[in-house]
Amino acid sequence: MIFTKLKLVNFKSHENTIIDFEKGISVIVGENGAGKSTILEAISFALFKQHTAKKIDDLVRNNADSMTVELEFSSNNREYKIVRNKKSMLKSSIYKKTSNDGGFVHICTGDKEVANEIRQILDIDSDLFLNAIYIRQGEIAELVDKTSAEKKELIAKLLGIDSLEKAWKNLLPFISGYENQLAELKGKLFNSDELKEEYSKKKAELESLKDRGHELEEQIEDVTASLKDISESKRNMEREKEIYDTQVNNLENEQKTLAKLENDKHVVQENLDKISEAEEKITRLDKYVSKLEVYLDFEKSVTSIQRLKKDEEEINNKLDSISNQKAIVNDKKEEYNKFLASDEEINKLNNQKLNLEKQLATAAKMEKDKKELLLHIENERNDIEDFFSRTKDKLADFGLSQDTLAEVEHFNQIEEVTNDYIVEVAESIEKLSGDILSKKESLVEFKQNIKAAQKPLEELNEVDNKCPVCQSDISSDQKKDLIESYESTISENEKLISETEEDVRLFNQNKESFEDKQTKLQDLSKNIVEYKQKFVHLEDDVVKLNEIDENLESKEYISNKLGELILVIARERDAKESYKESYDAYVQAKGALDVLGSETESQYKLNQIKNEIDNHVTNIKLAINQDPHLSGDISPGELQDRIADLKQKNEEFNQLKGFV
């Protein structure tokens, strides 16, 4: 894996930093607190989302609302880019370059998806990366202090030896299985001669079975030919039997037909005698049957004339009603129109009245809103002034100078000095972190010095007059001087360790104090932003209060206008009431005309009825001319009796015709 480019936007102390890594070794140099470690932390954050802050929000630069880290690198001759962007939430994406000249193509998005993709690309996890590639400040001493077994384990992990051992263990079951199969195959090959002999026997048996099969196929062909001849003879015999059965059935049917014809001859003769008798009766009834239709037409015309006379009378009454209703409509039309105009004017005035009443109701609500708004403005102003005063006191307690606070008069100034103070505290924290790291490195050096002196000191105590370094002979005084020198070195380094540890404790104590102050200042900065917004809202409320005062000035004019409008509506309602009777009469007459229908249509129906009456009178005259017994004076009872008698004769006539 080779890093090619790193871009940081609002990441801790880096506001907008772009680093292009050239080929070869890159060295990052800078003062304590300049952001060297932050670059390595950004790489760790981009790859594995690993960081040293308490939470991701702490990685965002002060006074910034978003943060972005982009890392470009190559692995296995392929180029990739990781982007982690923090706004309201952290969004992670990874891209791959398809060609040298092409751009990056999106692969996936999401913490889990990106982590899985990185693990497949690099074939390492975050722990291995932190141990092998990225060693944090202060961890070199920890690596030096590890035991031989721990160092061996770490080096094996770095070189992939542990993976090879694991792969070898996993291969052992497969190797064992293949060895078993090899032994089994060798055993089978050992008996190969017996298998060949058995194969020859089986092959001979197969040839014998094939010969027997050919013989059986020839026998089957002979049997099939004999069966075909027998089937043909059977079909011929069945055809002859069918012909014989058909002739027998035909003879029996001819005998039955002859007997039936003899019986039908007698029946037909009897029917001929009855038909002759019926024809004589038909001749006698024919003169009566022809008169039935004349009598029925006569009765139908008389009944129709009676019904049409009633319809004629109803239509004449309807025409009279239509004429009367039309006269009412014409007479009341003018006052009807005045009623509608008055009603329309009242509706118009009522709409104006409703609009004025809404305006009055709005004004009343405005007065209520004004009281509530005044109270709200007063409370907000007191709260803001109290917060402003308390904030300046807190800043003074946190160590901000009184001269600086004396010049602060509004929210923009207090926000600016607070953010500047946060940056100052952050720089102090970063400086203390560098001092602590430096002290810890000194501690490691002091401990190494002690170890370097303890070993020859122990050897001096175990040997007589021998130098532990060059193994040359030394005198007792020289040995004593060496012992005192080593003991002095140990004592001095132990003292330095004690002093340095105390310094580290004090530095940590100061750092914790500054970090606590930083947290409180950040919370205070957020509150300042919140109250700054409240101050803006307070100014908006003052503008809204002025608008309410302007709108309330028109309330008295609206009230007077409403009173005048109520009087006008009352007068218009009295005028409308005077036209009410004529309006009702007009509406009733129009409704009646709608029910009665068209006058022209009624007149047309009356003419049709008169024509039908004339036609029926003509039919009656024709009937009287055809039968002298009919006259215009015949009673209904006598007419019904004659028709009933004729119907009876007609029924008998039709029955006889049907029989014949």
Side-chain angles (χ1 to χ4, degrees):
M1 176 177 61
I2 299 174
F3 303 129
T4 57
K5 186 176 181 179
L6 176 66
K7 182 179 179 181
L8 305 178
V9 179
N10 294 327
F11 185 83
K12 298 186 80 170
S13 60
H14 292 269
E15 181 178 4
N16 190 358
T17 301
I18 298 176
I19 301 174
D20 290 316
F21 296 100
E22 301 295 337
K23 291 184 178 180
I25 299 174
S26 297
V27 179
I28 302 172
V29 181
E31 299 290 337
N32 286 340
K36 301 186 300 298
S37 300
T38 303
I39 294 172
L40 298 177
E41 185 173 5
I43 294 174
S44 175
F45 178 73
L47 289 172
F48 301 103
K49 215 173 75 173
Q50 294 283 345
H51 55 87
T52 58
K54 295 181 180 178
K55 52 186 179 179
I56 293 180
D57 289 339
D58 294 339
L59 298 176
V60 182
R61 183 180 171 85
N62 293 332
N63 301 323
D65 56 0
S66 65
M67 172 269 289
T68 303
V69 176
E70 294 184 10
L71 176 64
E72 297 180 17
F73 66 94
S74 63
S75 178
N76 296 325
N77 295 322
R78 292 186 178 91
E79 296 185 32
Y80 300 90
K81 179 171 72 173
I82 306 173
V83 180
R84 296 194 189 266
N85 181 267
K86 172 71 172 69
K87 287 186 178 178
S88 57
M89 296 179 63
L90 180 65
K91 180 181 178 182
S92 304
S93 302
I94 187 168
Y95 304 82
K96 180 172 72 174
K97 184 177 285 189
T98 55
S99 63
N100 293 333
D101 298 332
F104 287 96
V105 177
H106 178 263
I107 298 177
C108 63
T109 297
D111 288 346
K112 291 183 179 178
E113 291 79 0
V114 171
N116 292 334
E117 192 69 25
I118 289 294
R119 196 175 296 112
Q120 292 178 5
I121 293 170
L122 303 180
D123 197 24
I124 60 173
D125 54 15
S126 59
D127 292 337
L128 184 57
F129 173 79
L130 292 175
N131 288 331
I133 299 174
Y134 168 34
I135 303 179
R136 296 189 185 94
Q137 295 178 353
E139 292 184 349
I140 297 175
E142 183 181 353
L143 179 62
V144 173
D145 291 338
K146 287 185 178 294
T147 63
S148 300
E150 291 172 339
K151 290 178 182 177
K152 179 181 177 183
E153 182 181 355
L154 177 59
I155 293 170
K157 188 175 183 182
L158 293 176
L159 297 178
I161 296 173
D162 57 341
S163 300
L164 292 174
E165 290 179 351
K166 184 176 181 181
W168 171 251
K169 290 179 182 178
N170 292 333
L171 281 172
L172 288 177
F174 293 100
I175 294 172
S176 177
Y178 283 123
E179 289 176 349
N180 293 335
Q181 291 180 14
L182 178 62
E184 184 177 349
L185 289 173
K186 287 181 178 178
K188 289 181 178 180
L189 290 174
F190 183 77
N191 298 323
S192 59
D193 294 337
E194 295 179 2
L195 291 174
K196 288 180 180 178
E197 184 179 354
E198 185 179 355
Y199 170 75
S200 300
K201 291 180 180 179
K202 295 293 183 182
K203 187 174 181 180
E205 290 177 1
L206 178 61
E207 293 296 330
S208 176
L209 289 173
K210 284 183 179 179
D211 295 339
R212 177 60 179 162
H214 291 314
E215 294 175 0
L216 291 174
E217 286 176 354
E218 293 175 356
Q219 294 177 6
I220 289 170
E221 289 177 357
D222 295 340
V223 172
T224 302
S226 300
L227 181 62
K228 186 176 180 181
D229 295 339
I230 294 170
S231 298
E232 185 66 25
S233 300
K234 180 182 178 184
R235 282 196 295 271
N236 292 333
M237 294 175 67
E238 287 177 346
R239 281 197 295 271
E240 292 176 357
K241 182 178 181 300
E242 288 177 359
I243 294 170
Y244 173 77
D245 292 340
T246 301
Q247 291 177 350
V248 170
N249 288 333
N250 290 339
L251 181 61
E252 291 177 353
N253 290 334
E254 290 292 336
Q255 291 174 348
K256 291 178 181 178
T257 301
L258 182 62
K260 184 176 181 301
L261 288 172
E262 288 292 336
N263 184 50
D264 290 344
K265 179 180 177 182
H266 295 294
V267 174
V268 169
Q269 187 61 49
E270 291 177 358
N271 288 338
L272 285 173
D273 296 338
K274 291 180 181 179
I275 287 171
S276 298
E277 184 181 352
E279 286 178 342
E280 292 177 0
K281 289 183 180 180
I282 288 172
T283 304
R284 292 197 305 270
L285 292 172
D286 186 49
K287 60 181 179 178
Y288 296 105
V289 171
S290 61
K291 292 182 179 181
L292 177 61
E293 187 175 355
V294 175
Y295 273 81
L296 289 174
D297 290 341
F298 181 85
E299 181 189 27
K300 180 180 178 182
S301 296
V302 171
T303 305
S304 297
I305 288 172
Q306 292 173 352
R307 176 179 55 78
L308 290 170
K309 285 290 184 182
K310 290 181 180 179
D311 293 342
E312 183 181 18
E313 183 179 358
E314 290 178 358
I315 291 175
N316 284 325
N317 292 334
K318 186 176 182 181
L319 289 171
D320 292 339
S321 297
I322 291 173
S323 180
N324 293 334
Q325 298 301 326
K326 281 186 174 181
I328 293 172
V329 168
N330 292 330
D331 184 46
K332 303 295 183 182
K333 186 173 183 179
E334 183 178 356
E335 293 183 345
Y336 168 81
N337 290 333
K338 289 181 180 180
F339 180 88
L340 291 179
S342 179
D343 185 64
E344 184 178 356
E345 182 65 20
I346 289 172
N347 288 334
K348 181 179 177 182
L349 293 171
N350 278 330
N351 289 334
Q352 294 177 6
K353 174 174 171 276
L354 182 62
N355 190 28
L356 291 173
E357 288 174 345
K358 287 181 179 178
Q359 292 180 23
L360 279 178
T362 302
K365 186 178 181 302
M366 282 183 181
E367 289 181 341
K368 181 181 178 182
D369 292 343
K370 179 181 177 181
K371 292 179 181 178
E372 294 176 354
L373 192 58
L374 282 170
L375 181 61
H376 176 71
I377 288 172
E378 184 65 23
N379 292 335
E380 288 293 295
R381 181 180 286 116
N382 292 335
D383 185 28
I384 290 170
E385 290 177 353
D386 180 61
F387 172 78
F388 197 83
S389 176
R390 285 187 287 106
T391 300
K392 292 177 71 174
D393 293 340
K394 286 183 179 179
L395 289 173
D397 294 340
F398 291 153
L400 193 61
S401 68
Q402 292 293 340
D403 294 338
T404 303
L405 291 173
E407 297 176 358
V408 174
E409 295 180 353
H410 51 78
F411 273 100
N412 288 334
Q413 291 177 327
I414 200 167
E415 182 182 22
E416 184 178 352
V417 299
T418 302
N419 291 335
D420 290 342
Y421 196 37
I422 290 173
V423 172
E424 184 181 338
V425 171
E427 291 173 351
S428 299
I429 292 172
E430 194 163 359
K431 183 178 181 306
L432 284 170
S433 298
D435 293 340
I436 292 170
L437 180 61
S438 177
K439 291 293 183 181
K440 285 184 176 180
E441 291 175 351
S442 298
L443 282 174
V444 172
E445 182 182 350
F446 297 151
K447 290 178 180 179
Q448 292 297 327
N449 291 338
I450 291 174
K451 286 183 178 180
Q454 282 178 340
K455 185 176 181 180
L457 181 61
E458 291 173 356
E459 292 176 354
L460 278 172
N461 291 327
E462 292 175 359
V463 299
D464 294 331
N465 300 327
K466 287 286 185 180
C467 176
V469 177
C470 61
Q471 297 299 317
S472 61
D473 294 332
I474 57 175
S475 64
S476 299
D477 292 337
Q478 288 176 329
K479 179 179 179 181
K480 182 178 179 183
D481 291 340
L482 284 173
I483 291 173
E484 289 177 354
S485 175
Y486 287 133
E487 288 178 347
S488 175
T489 299
I490 292 171
S491 176
E492 288 175 1
N493 280 278
E494 286 177 347
K495 182 180 180 182
L496 289 172
I497 288 173
S498 177
E499 292 174 353
T500 304
E501 287 178 345
E502 178 63 19
D503 291 339
V504 170
R505 187 186 67 78
L506 293 175
F507 284 153
N508 280 324
Q509 186 176 350
N510 290 336
K511 182 182 176 183
E512 290 174 0
S513 175
F514 275 111
E515 287 175 345
D516 181 62
K517 184 186 292 187
Q518 184 185 41
T519 302
K520 291 178 180 179
L521 283 170
Q522 288 172 345
D523 293 339
L524 185 61
S525 177
K526 293 177 183 178
N527 292 335
I528 290 172
V529 173
E530 179 183 348
Y531 271 86
K532 182 180 177 182
Q533 193 65 31
K534 288 180 72 173
F535 183 75
V536 173
H537 290 162
L538 181 63
E539 291 177 341
D540 294 340
D541 290 341
V542 172
V543 173
K544 191 185 297 182
L545 182 64
N546 294 331
E547 292 175 354
I548 291 174
D549 288 336
E550 292 175 1
N551 292 329
L552 287 175
E553 291 177 359
S554 60
K555 178 182 178 184
E556 184 176 356
Y557 168 76
I558 295 171
S559 180
N560 294 334
K561 190 73 175 176
L562 180 61
E564 295 173 2
L565 195 59
I566 290 172
L567 294 176
V568 174
I569 291 172
R571 288 196 297 270
E572 195 63 37
R573 281 179 178 168
D574 292 339
K576 176 184 173 183
E577 193 63 30
S578 64
Y579 305 130
K580 182 70 167 61
E581 185 177 353
S582 298
Y583 171 82
D584 292 340
Y586 179 89
V587 172
Q588 187 176 1
K590 286 289 285 184
L593 285 173
D594 293 338
V595 173
L596 291 171
S598 171
E599 183 178 10
T600 303
E601 185 179 351
S602 298
Q603 188 66 48
Y604 175 75
K605 287 182 179 179
L606 181 62
N607 293 334
Q608 281 185 323
I609 288 171
K610 288 180 179 180
N611 291 333
E612 288 183 23
I613 290 174
D614 293 341
N615 292 334
H616 286 301
V617 169
T618 302
N619 292 336
I620 289 172
K621 289 178 180 179
L622 290 173
I624 291 173
N625 291 334
Q626 293 178 10
D627 192 336
H629 295 93
L630 286 174
S631 67
D633 298 332
I634 189 172
S635 64
E638 184 180 357
L639 179 63
Q640 290 296 325
D641 291 340
R642 290 186 184 181
I643 290 172
D645 181 60
L646 290 172
K647 282 184 176 180
Q648 183 179 358
K649 288 180 170 61
N650 181 66
E651 183 178 358
E652 185 179 358
F653 176 83
N654 288 327
Q655 289 177 352
L656 290 171
K657 277 186 71 174
F659 172 73
V660 171

